[in-house]
Each structure stands twice: as C-alpha cells, then as structure tokens.
Amino acid sequence: MSTLRVFRLCLFVTFVGGSVVAVGQPQNDLPDGIAADITRKRCLTCHEADLIVQQQLSRPAWEREIDKMMRWGAVVTAEERAPLVDYFSAHFAPTPVTAHVARQSTAAEATYKRACLTCHESDLIEQQHLSRAGWVREVDKMIRWGASVPDTEKEALVDWLTSRYGEL
Ligand code: HEC
Ligand code: HEC
C-alpha cells in the first residue's frame, strides 16, 4: 500500500475523530458485517480493500460503484448486491457531512433548551405537527412574545423543530 493512501486514511480518521472508524485499524481490514465475506470473495480479487474503505459515498453512489465494478468484471449475484450496498453505505458513508449535521443539530437543541423551555414545558411544542413555514411563524410569534433567539440561530432551530415535529 502506498504511503499516500496511509496518510489519507490517517487524515480521515483524525477528521471523524475516530468515532466511526477505529483508529489503528489495519487498512485492509474490513469492518464486521454479513457482507464482509462477500466483499472478500467478490471485490478483493482485483484490488485491496483500501480502495473501498477510503471511499465516502452515498447509497446511490455505492450502487453506481458496484455496477461499474460489475461492468469491469466483478462477479456479484443478485442476492449479494443488496447486502453489499447496505454494508458499504453503512460503513463508508459521507461521515464528515453527517458529523456536520450532528453538530448543527446539537447547537439547535441547545437553542431550543435555552430559548423555548423558559416559559412553558416542552409538551406544548412537541404535540405540534407543523410544516416548516408553520414553525417559522411559530418561532417568530414566540420571539415577539419574548423568546430570545438570535437571528444566527433561527434557521437551525426551525430546521430542528421541523425535523422532529413536522407535519405527519
Ligand atoms: C475485475 C476486477 C475488479 C473487481 C472484481 C472489483 N474491482 Fe473495484 N476496481 C477495479 C479497478 C481496475 C479499479 C481502478 C483501480 C485503481 O484506480 O487503482 C477499481 C477501483 C475501485 C474503487 C475506487 C473508485 C473507482 O471507481 O475507481 C472502488 C471503490 C472499487 N473498485 C470498489 C469495488 C467493489 C465494491 C468491488 C466488489 C463489488 C470491486 N471493486 C471489485 C477492478 C475491480
Ligand atoms: C417569553 C415566554 C415564552 C417563550 C420564551 C417561548 N414561548 Fe412558546 N408560548 C408562550 C405562551 C405564553 C404560549 C401560550 C401558552 C398557552 O397557551 O398555555 C406559548 C405557546 C407555544 C406553543 C403552542 C401554540 C401557540 O402558539 O400557542 C408553541 C408551539 C410554542 N409556544 C413554541 C415555542 C418555541 C418553539 C419557543 C422557542 C423559540 C417558545 N415557544 C418560547 C410563551 C413563550
């Protein structure tokens, strides 16, 4: 394996903080999963696992990647394809983006706890099922009534409320 690849993997591990990828995991080790054996049998005949594990692809992109490898000669049966897609999408997904969303969500939750639960309990809020526009109106109304939500936090709070208490 090339030094560059090892270097890239190290960067990746540092970036996601080791929460998803075990630090120190040998590069050619595949994470456990029912499709690990299929991968060894079907994918590692032409190249090593590093080409796979360093990817960060969405589910549709993994489907395209597998189809491309099949056009290039990989033999994957119809029963093997679905577990492979599940396995790759679960382990080699675009983690930094997810981490980013998670951070935003934590920040929005902090705003919520600080600004929304001072006058009433959460049940008043949690029993609502509003569209995004409905949440914008509701938050604006609460701001007029005294809730302290800085402009910089409003969008994220509305997104957070909509994702949890959106329309059914
Ligand atoms: C018949 C040979 C062969 C098989 C089998 C094979 N691949 Fe590949 N794969 C290649 C070649 C050739 C490349 C390009 C190699 C390079 O860039 O060094 C590649 C590259 C890749 C890459 C890097 C991105 C890209 O598209 O260049 C990924 C990811 C990948 N393969 C995934 C898989 C998966 C998943 C499987 C099993 C379903 C698989 N491969 C099976 C030949 C194969
Ligand atoms: C300054 C006090 C105050 C703060 C802070 C506050 N609310 Fe309210 N909220 C109220 C009052 C008063 C009511 C009406 C209470 C009732 O009907 O019992 C209310 C009612 C609600 C309702 C029920 C529907 C409605 O419009 O009556 C929702 C949903 C709601 N608030 C959401 C929020 C959210 C989200 C936040 C944070 C952005 C928030 N509130 C912060 C005072 C506040």
Side-chain angles (χ1 to χ4, degrees), residues 47-87:
H47 51 73
E48 312 237 7
D50 64 339
L51 267 187
I52 298 172
V53 305
Q54 74 198 2
Q55 305 291 323
Q56 297 176 28
L57 304 179
S58 66
R59 198 180 170 83
W62 270 118
E63 290 179 334
R64 282 193 299 273
E65 186 65 39
I66 292 171
D67 291 342
K68 175 168 127 184
M69 290 302 134
M70 289 170 74
R71 284 194 305 277
W72 287 12
V75 179
V76 177
T77 67
E79 299 81 63
E80 288 167 341
R81 191 177 174 279
L84 276 183
V85 171
D86 288 344
Y87 175 69

Side-chain angles (χ1 to χ4, degrees), residues 110-124:
T111 306
Y112 172 74
K113 287 184 176 149
R114 193 197 64 236
C116 302
L117 304 184
T118 40
C119 299
H120 49 73
E121 303 276 332
S122 58
D123 59 344
L124 254 190

